[in-house]
Amino acid sequence: MLNLYDILARGYFPKELPPPFSTSNFSTFIKSLGRSIPAELASDRFVSKCAVHNLPRSGQLHRTLGIPNPVNFFRLSCFIKRNWRVISTHTAKSSMSLTTPCKGYRGRAIEPKYMLQELPKRRAMLRSLSRYFLQTDISRFYQTIYTHSIPWALHGKPEAKADRSSQLIGNELDRLVRECQDGQTIGVPIGPDTSFIIAEIILSSIDEVLERKGLKNAMRYIDDYDFGFQTLSGADEALCLLEETLNDYELALNPSKTKIITLPWPTENIAISELRTFSFREAPVAQHSDILHYFDRAFSYAHANPKDAILRYAVSRLSGITVHPSNWEFCENLLLQCAISEPGTISFVLNQLLSYQQLEYDLHRDHIGDVMNSIIEQHAPQGHGGDVVWALWGLIVLKRRLRKKAATRAAKMKDPFVAILLCDADDHKLVQLGTEWDYLASLMSTEALHSEMWLFSYEANRRDWFDSSGKTDHVLASPTFALLKKAGVSFYDENLSDTIEPEEPEGWALSSSSY
């Protein structure tokens, strides 16, 4: 059975954030209330904007995550929990979905029925019955979901259009999602487990239509579709049917990722296969040669396949070996080359650095600090919060100073996670004097608690980083956030472990999923 407190603790913030960001404290607070939930949290009208965080995807691409205000996320999560039996019955109807939402046991509150590692085996089975296959995905899926299509999926479009009352579960879900995002009807926040559930509600209905019309040899992973056929004409007809069905839900295919291919065809990226099976020797001289060859192959593959997460996999794959001390400086420099050249590798590189710090290897901290500062200076003006937060966190845990140029650029970003880490770095005396704080200081208002910067406005007040802009405490002036502050709720715990264990990157299984 779905657990509300699990969703609040493990299904709220994006999994790609540094360790100090946590919602466990919030979940514990809600649990302590029992059935005595104040109206300010449960029912009073509350419309807000999502916090925004720009995350690196495969290669050089980025995607924008949305983190709902805690009041709205709590209400949405409660509603899903209360109606989980209906929702889970609906999503279980699809026989082609590999991502039916299930209770999570591997980190997240809600996880797909099958993980990415299952894809090659499933693709092999599908293709064993086929001469051609159609591979495609939905263009900007989460960003283009029409929230009114949620009741269409759960109840059917005719019934949903005829009955717009709150008696229909789908209508209430639609409303709660819209209130999370300032009333917008286009898109759902990318990142929270609740959005994964909503996506499957819609996609399961689409799957049902496709299955009824004869598309049986098929599978779907989030919004990625694979279909197998005996004839080329069958693939062409299926493509038309898929486009027609998606159009009924105001969705469209991604033309750049839609292709009909004659089998046989590789099941997995050849680059990932080679890197996975690469063998490192233990003898220092031989291992040095292996490290050189391994990274040269990874760099070559990454250059030839810029849209795949080759370097993320290459770095995470190193967790299975121990670099000899005599080879460490060489390996460290190659890792830093990955961090500075491809967005999204920084967390994996930091994991390696911190792992060897635990082994008491000599890290070249000043050099690493220069690299992290360069990353911030490069990515902050582009709004790439995912790169900047990890570089900031790396400077904090390795106790390296943040250059004035990097700090000033980071302080202008509209990213609450960046802002919190920057202020924490300042608490650690790692920020040079002269950094411009005007933008962050302007966020100390009750209005900001409903904005994209709600998280920073709240945490900065709790930690006395800035004074409220008015004569009164702006958090205590908000009935909902006052409850959180008085209970000592925090979404940032600087005492959490300074080691990380990132999952293998999605690129290893050729997933282009937008979730």
Side-chain angles (χ1 to χ4, degrees):
M1 190 64 180
L2 196 65
N3 186 301
L4 172 64
Y5 309 114
D6 270 352
I7 297 178
L8 299 180
R10 301 189 295 129
Y12 186 1
F13 277 8
K15 63 181 179 181
E16 297 89 352
L17 291 170
F21 293 101
S22 170
T23 57
S24 295
N25 194 228
F26 175 58
S27 177
T28 300
F29 163 64
I30 295 296
K31 189 174 184 178
S32 72
L33 296 176
R35 297 182 179 275
S36 303
I37 306 294
E40 300 96 292
L41 283 175
S43 57
D44 289 353
R45 180 167 172 76
F46 196 96
V47 178
S48 64
K49 294 181 179 180
C50 288
V52 174
H53 183 61
N54 194 284
L55 183 74
R57 288 187 65 186
S58 302
Q60 301 294 321
L61 302 176
H62 286 76
R63 66 182 173 195
T64 301
L65 304 184
I67 301 89
N69 191 292
V71 177
N72 296 112
F73 187 75
F74 167 68
R75 295 177 182 182
L76 177 59
S77 300
C78 282
F79 187 81
I80 289 175
K81 166 65 171 67
R82 288 198 303 270
N83 295 281
W84 182 241
R85 187 180 300 279
V86 172
I87 293 170
S88 60
T89 300
H90 173 83
T91 57
K93 291 178 181 178
S94 171
S95 62
M96 70 173 67
S97 176
L98 301 184
T99 47
T100 302
C102 301
K103 179 178 172 60
Y105 296 98
R106 292 175 285 261
R108 299 296 292 186
I110 302 293
E111 293 180 342
K113 183 176 182 180
Y114 297 102
M115 303 306 286
L116 282 168
Q117 292 89 332
E118 184 76 11
L119 274 180
K121 183 171 74 173
R122 294 281 171 169
R123 281 181 174 146
M125 181 183 299
L126 182 148
R127 295 175 188 180
S128 70
L129 299 170
S130 313
R131 296 181 60 199
Y132 304 91
F133 75 94
L134 166 63
Q135 188 174 69
T136 187
D137 73 7
I138 300 174
S139 179
R140 301 180 70 249
F141 173 53
Y142 280 87
Q143 298 96 317
T144 59
I145 287 176
Y146 183 45
T147 64
H148 294 339
S149 70
I150 299 170
W152 299 352
L154 280 170
H155 312 293
K157 188 181 286 189
E159 181 180 352
K161 287 195 169 187
D163 183 358
R164 301 181 184 275
S165 74
S166 60
Q167 299 304 308
L168 290 186
I169 290 173
N171 288 339
E172 275 298 280
L173 264 181
D174 176 10
R175 179 183 66 83
L176 290 167
V177 170
R178 283 186 281 115
E179 289 183 352
C180 282
Q181 50 193 30
D182 200 30
Q184 295 296 314
T185 59
I186 302 299
V188 296
I190 301 175
D193 288 4
T194 49
S195 294
F196 169 45
I197 293 169
I198 289 163
E200 282 293 319
I201 288 173
I202 296 168
L203 290 170
S204 295
S205 291
I206 292 171
D207 294 348
E208 278 193 274
V209 174
L210 299 176
E211 290 165 9
R212 284 200 306 268
K213 295 187 177 182
L215 295 182
K216 305 287 188 183
N217 191 27
M219 71 178 201
R220 175 178 58 77
Y221 200 94
I222 310 292
D223 64 323
D224 292 347
Y225 280 96
D226 278 30
F227 301 90
F229 306 93
Q230 284 293 324
T231 65
L232 184 58
S233 61
D236 286 328
E237 291 171 7
L239 179 57
C240 292
L241 175 60
L242 180 57
E243 288 182 308
E244 177 185 318
T245 307
L246 290 174
N247 185 60
D248 286 341
Y249 285 84
E250 309 285 343
L251 298 168
L253 291 179
N254 184 342
S256 67
K257 294 185 178 180
T258 299
K259 51 195 173 186
I260 297 173
I261 298 173
T262 303
L263 292 166
W265 189 259
T267 303
E268 182 181 61
N269 189 313
I270 299 300
I272 300 301
S273 296
E274 180 176 332
L275 295 175
R276 181 190 296 112
T277 57
F278 193 94
S279 178
F280 293 89
R281 291 167 288 184
E282 294 184 1
V285 175
Q287 188 188 72
H288 185 280
S289 178
D290 293 339
I291 291 171
L292 173 62
H293 180 61
Y294 178 79
F295 275 98
D296 278 352
R297 295 307 298 151
F299 294 155
S300 177
Y301 280 129
H303 185 75
N305 303 276
K307 293 184 179 180
D308 292 334
I310 304 295
L311 292 187
R312 272 192 279 175
Y313 181 80
V315 175
S316 65
R317 160 74 173 80
L318 291 177
S319 298
I321 72 164
T322 300
V323 175
H324 191 275
S326 64
N327 294 325
W328 170 244
E329 182 176 2
F330 178 54
C331 185
E332 180 187 73
N333 283 323
L334 291 169
L335 288 169
L336 292 173
Q337 184 178 338
C338 293
I340 205 166
S341 61
E342 182 176 309
T345 61
I346 305 171
S347 63
F348 297 92
V349 169
L350 285 171
N351 183 61
Q352 291 293 314
L353 297 176
L354 294 173
S355 296
Y356 282 93
Q357 177 178 259
Q358 289 184 333
L359 295 175
E360 299 185 350
Y361 278 46
D362 182 22
L363 301 189
H364 298 82
R365 294 168 181 270
D366 289 340
H367 183 51
I368 295 170
D370 287 340
V371 171
M372 295 299 132
N373 272 285
S374 295
I375 289 170
I376 295 168
E377 290 170 10
Q378 175 191 353
H379 289 282
Q382 301 177 67
H384 295 168
D387 306 284
V388 175
V389 293
W390 283 105
L392 282 170
W393 184 74
L395 290 171
I396 292 171
V397 296
L398 294 172
K399 299 178 175 60
R400 298 297 94 185
R401 287 182 65 80
L402 186 64
R403 294 195 293 249
K404 178 182 175 182
K405 181 179 179 181
T408 297
R409 288 185 173 184
K412 294 178 180 179
M413 293 180 68
K414 294 182 179 181
D415 186 310
F417 303 104
V418 169
I420 288 171
L421 282 168
L422 182 61
C423 290
D424 190 29
D426 190 52
D427 277 353
H428 286 81
K429 311 299 182 186
L430 299 176
V431 179
Q432 291 185 4
L433 295 176
T435 297
E436 299 172 13
W437 301 95
D438 291 354
Y439 170 63
L440 299 183
S442 73
L443 297 169
M444 299 299 102
S445 67
T446 303
E447 293 76 21
L449 295 172
H450 291 250
S451 76
E452 298 97 329
M453 295 295 285
W454 65 263
L455 177 60
F456 176 75
S457 184
Y458 174 74
E459 286 294 333
N461 174 272
R462 278 196 70 257
R463 297 167 186 275
D464 294 321
W465 284 334
F466 295 97
D467 294 331
S468 293
S469 56
K471 295 182 180 180
T472 59
D473 184 307
H474 72 281
V475 170
L476 293 181
S478 167
T480 50
F481 278 96
L483 290 171
L484 303 183
K485 182 176 180 178
K486 290 174 181 177
V489 173
S490 178
F491 298 94
Y492 182 76
D493 184 355
E494 64 273 21
N495 297 313
L496 288 176
S497 171
D498 61 359
T499 60
I500 52 177
E501 297 180 1
E503 300 175 0
E504 284 189 319
E506 63 209 23
W508 82 271
L510 283 181
S511 170
S512 59
S513 166
S514 59
Y515 176 69

